[in-house]
Amino acid sequence: MAARDDPPTAASWWRPEVHAARRPFLLTRNRMAAAFRGWFAQRDFLEVETAALQVSPGNEAHLHAFATEAIGPDGALSPLYLRTSPEFACKSLLAAGERRIFDFARVWRNRERGDLHSPEFTLLEWYRVGEPYETLMDDGAALLALAAETAGVRRLTFRGRSADPFAAPERLTLAEAFHRFAGVDLLATVQANGDTDRDALASAALAAGIRVAQDDTWADVFSRVLVARVEPALGLGRPTILCEYPISEAALARPKASDPRVAERFELYACGVELANCFGELTDPAEQRRRFELEMAEKARVYGERYPIDEDFLDALTLTPPASGAALGFDRLVMLAAGAERIDSVLWTPVART
Amino acid sequence: MVKVAASSLRKGNVVDVDGKLYVILKLENIHPGKGTPVTQLDMRRISDGVKVSERWRTTESVEKAFVDERSFNFLYTDAEGYHFMNPDNYDQIVVTADVVGDMTVYLQDGMTVTLLTHEDVALSLELPARVTLEVVETEPVTKGQTASGSYKPAILSNGVRSMVPTYITVGTRIVVMTEDASFLERAKD
């Protein structure tokens, strides 16, 4: 049965003929969700359902939330947000004593819409207490293989690119990837204390033929090189694990013991598409507060707003044991396994176009 | 000219980069792993037709040029290009083949399209979202097939390939989306 996905200009999804064409994607989605739940259950993970309404939606400079207001019995208003990830709640459950949990979390991100972005989507997060983040690399590879097996395909595909989910992923550090795909010596622009040298990275990017704006920060230039040269080259033929992010690019991850310039953070890619973001979790409340404040200062500078810091979460971090945690864009993996070109094609009811 | 954020640009907009005008062909906002979001664009330089790709921060400010947007009717094509007429004042305009591109197959006599122009030069053409075409080639309907969800290849009267529900037969007039030739419904005429 040929499934078909329509561009955003196309007819409403509820038209029976449109729905019939989309339905094979949706059935693949359901089969994958069931298979994933089974996979986690076999490994003694508990499924948790965390609250979508939060005091803070997440404190990262470029993540934008949907805001709402709680109205008390006396009519008093207090701000609440739809979460951008279930991370604060899940780490608080680890503080409470849970050891292995997963959450098929519906999350919301504002200002994001496109073939790979829906303002409402499903982030599958899972956490392992007392286990290194390398274990999550194995988990990620196993879930890609399970996705393909469940969808009945041998390869993941997107926009003419493909990757073999049964092959062991290639592992690349950010430093290796910047060197290989852009000829840029990334860590030469990061100091031992994590501070970054904007001008050094900007001139390296320019030398590689990537335009830089005068008011670009180090992080902006980093993103330009990543988008222009690195991401399109990842996950071709087989999945890629891109690891060891500079510490300034990993707000919730802990530093790597042998090199504090980089953090225990990796991203899993297939077919040039970012699928999962994983951390050795930062559990130091003072350091976490410092990084949240830096992120919110940057958000205020660029977008003119900041989100509150969730003090209860920082309290919980005092009890959170060493752990590793992963967040996988479930809808994107469905797309790649089912062969869909747009995230809306794998959502039972896509969000209205605004 | 007006300064706008890169993320607010749309396909068909005209921007000024270092004194040269470019029309936007394709645009995507990329949010890489929680990092600085980037607007990635494919553009055509108006002066010489050269295609370039460019990336801006979504918040970066870009010079957007004013363009005229108006309906024209398609007349005919000749060695000069594609001729259209403004139905309000009967003024004619010639559009070059590189602007029309592969949309050429959908142009029909008298069809109303939208043209974006800058100083009387056509920069981009927008087709109606839907057109009615006839199926000229497809597998016959076989017994036992119903209207539920399966599709088969078909060739339409303009030569374009589409996927149609299995119950559609040769000679049926159908409505397709010009964006990607996808089947929408059986024509009601």
Side-chain angles (χ1 to χ4, degrees), chain B:
Chain B
M1 296 285 175
V2 56
K3 280 197 178 287
V4 300
S7 59
S8 70
L9 294 170
R10 297 287 173 267
K11 184 177 162 184
N13 286 168
V14 175
V15 292
D16 181 327
V17 183
D18 301 329
K20 290 204 166 68
L21 293 176
Y22 296 80
V23 59
I24 297 170
L25 306 173
K26 204 178 138 199
L27 173 149
E28 185 174 19
N29 289 319
I30 301 181
H31 306 262
K34 304 187 178 189
T36 310
V38 171
T39 302
Q40 181 159 279
L41 311 97
D42 290 337
M43 312 189 291
R44 192 180 62 238
R45 191 154 57 217
I46 291 167
S47 57
D48 56 9
V50 170
K51 286 185 183 170
V52 297
S53 69
E54 186 56 273
R55 278 164 215 88
W56 286 305
R57 298 194 319 264
T58 52
T59 53
E60 206 165 338
S61 110
V62 182
E63 297 264 13
K64 184 175 157 192
F66 289 108
V67 292
D68 285 320
E69 180 177 341
R70 133 167 351 125
S71 294
F72 282 80
N73 297 334
F74 177 60
L75 297 176
Y76 61 93
T77 171
D78 64 12
E80 222 185 329
Y82 295 77
H83 295 253
F84 291 83
M85 184 183 71
N86 177 340
D88 299 330
N89 57 14
Y90 309 113
D91 281 355
Q92 291 193 19
I93 185 169
V94 185
V95 181
T96 54
D98 65 326
V99 170
V100 177
D102 49 18
M103 288 182 277
T104 180
V105 293
Y106 287 104
L107 286 176
Q108 298 172 357
D109 211 17
M111 177 184 266
T112 302
V113 304
T114 306
L115 286 179
L116 294 185
T117 60
H118 181 75
E119 291 171 353
D120 293 327
V121 176
L123 305 174
S124 75
L125 178 155
E126 206 177 295
L127 293 167
R130 305 159 177 205
V131 291
T132 300
L133 293 163
E134 192 181 312
V135 175
V136 295
E137 214 180 299
T138 191
E139 292 165 24
V141 180
T142 49
K143 251 193 180 163
Q145 279 176 335
T146 60
S148 64
S150 58
Y151 280 70
K152 61 181 181 181
I155 299 178
L156 311 179
S157 45
N158 64 346
V160 165
R161 286 167 195 280
S162 179
M163 296 293 287
V164 299
T166 46
Y167 59 83
I168 296 286
T169 55
V170 168
T172 309
R173 285 167 59 74
I174 62 169
V175 180
V176 301
M177 306 300 294
T178 51
E179 169 97 16
D180 65 350
S182 64
F183 173 86
L184 188 62
E185 61 192 5
R186 219 195 288 238
K188 299 204 170 66
D189 58 21

Side-chain angles (χ1 to χ4, degrees), chain A residues 16-329:
Chain A
E17 281 163 348
V18 174
H19 180 67
R22 279 164 30 84
R23 202 159 176 270
F25 294 139
L26 302 171
L27 298 186
T28 298
R29 177 190 183 96
N30 284 16
R31 284 199 306 273
M32 274 176 58
F36 280 25
R37 285 193 161 95
W39 188 91
F40 282 111
Q42 279 164 18
R43 286 157 185 80
D44 295 326
F45 280 82
L46 276 180
E47 179 162 12
V48 299
E49 296 169 278
T50 55
L53 284 170
Q54 295 284 336
V55 167
S56 166
N59 297 92
E60 284 171 281
H62 301 292
L63 290 189
H64 301 279
F66 288 84
T68 186
E69 276 177 330
I71 307 173
D74 56 354
L77 302 177
S78 0
L80 281 178
Y81 296 86
L82 287 173
R83 62 185 173 191
T84 59
S85 103
E87 181 155 5
F88 296 174
C90 285
K91 284 162 99 166
S92 300
L93 277 171
L94 303 184
E98 295 298 343
R99 310 280 301 171
R100 283 187 185 185
I101 56 174
F102 73 100
D103 190 356
F104 265 97
R106 191 62 66 86
V107 300
W108 293 265
R109 292 187 184 179
N110 225 332
R111 295 192 188 223
E112 297 191 11
R113 188 99 209 216
D115 288 352
L116 286 168
H117 298 282
S118 168
E120 175 168 347
F121 65 102
T122 297
L123 205 52
L124 168 59
E125 294 212 347
W126 70 99
Y127 291 83
R128 290 176 176 272
V129 166
E131 293 184 79
Y133 92 138
E134 283 84 358
T135 308
L136 301 177
M137 297 183 183
D138 299 336
D139 289 348
L143 289 173
L144 295 199
L146 182 59
E149 201 182 303
T150 309
V153 296
R154 297 295 308 162
R155 298 184 79 83
L156 302 174
T157 54
F158 183 67
R159 290 185 185 167
R161 304 173 184 138
S162 85
D164 177 358
F166 303 100
E170 148 196 55
R171 194 161 149 180
L172 268 183
T173 66
L174 262 295
E176 287 164 349
F178 269 58
H179 176 71
R180 183 182 303 177
F181 303 118
V184 169
D185 185 351
L186 180 66
L187 291 185
T189 70
V190 182
Q191 291 165 24
N193 65 0
D195 285 353
T196 50
D197 184 341
R198 183 262 174 209
D199 290 344
L201 186 59
S203 45
L206 279 171
I210 296 165
R211 192 182 62 84
V212 172
Q214 264 187 342
D215 58 347
D216 272 355
T217 62
W218 183 93
D220 296 336
V221 181
F222 174 82
S223 185
R224 283 182 196 273
V225 178
L226 195 67
V227 169
R229 298 291 168 80
V230 179
E231 284 196 328
L234 301 180
L236 307 184
R238 58 183 169 142
T240 299
I241 286 168
L242 186 66
C243 58
E244 298 186 12
Y245 278 69
I247 197 85
S248 59
E249 292 296 306
L252 291 114
R254 67 183 176 207
K256 187 185 171 190
S258 60
D259 185 352
R261 292 176 299 173
V262 297
E264 287 188 358
R265 172 183 172 196
F266 76 87
E267 293 246 10
L268 180 61
Y269 284 84
C271 311
V273 177
E274 176 197 346
L275 289 175
N277 182 32
C278 313
F279 298 144
E281 300 293 350
L282 178 65
T283 52
D284 172 348
E287 174 62 10
Q288 186 66 84
R289 179 186 300 279
R290 190 186 73 83
R291 293 208 215 158
F292 280 167
E293 280 166 0
L294 285 174
E295 290 284 328
M296 291 303 92
E298 178 66 358
K299 187 178 208 66
R301 183 186 72 82
V302 180
Y303 304 103
E305 65 173 333
R306 53 173 79 226
Y307 297 144
I309 285 174
D310 184 341
E311 295 294 339
D312 196 48
F313 168 61
L314 289 179
D315 270 355
L317 269 191
T318 60
L319 290 184
T320 303
S324 57
L328 180 136

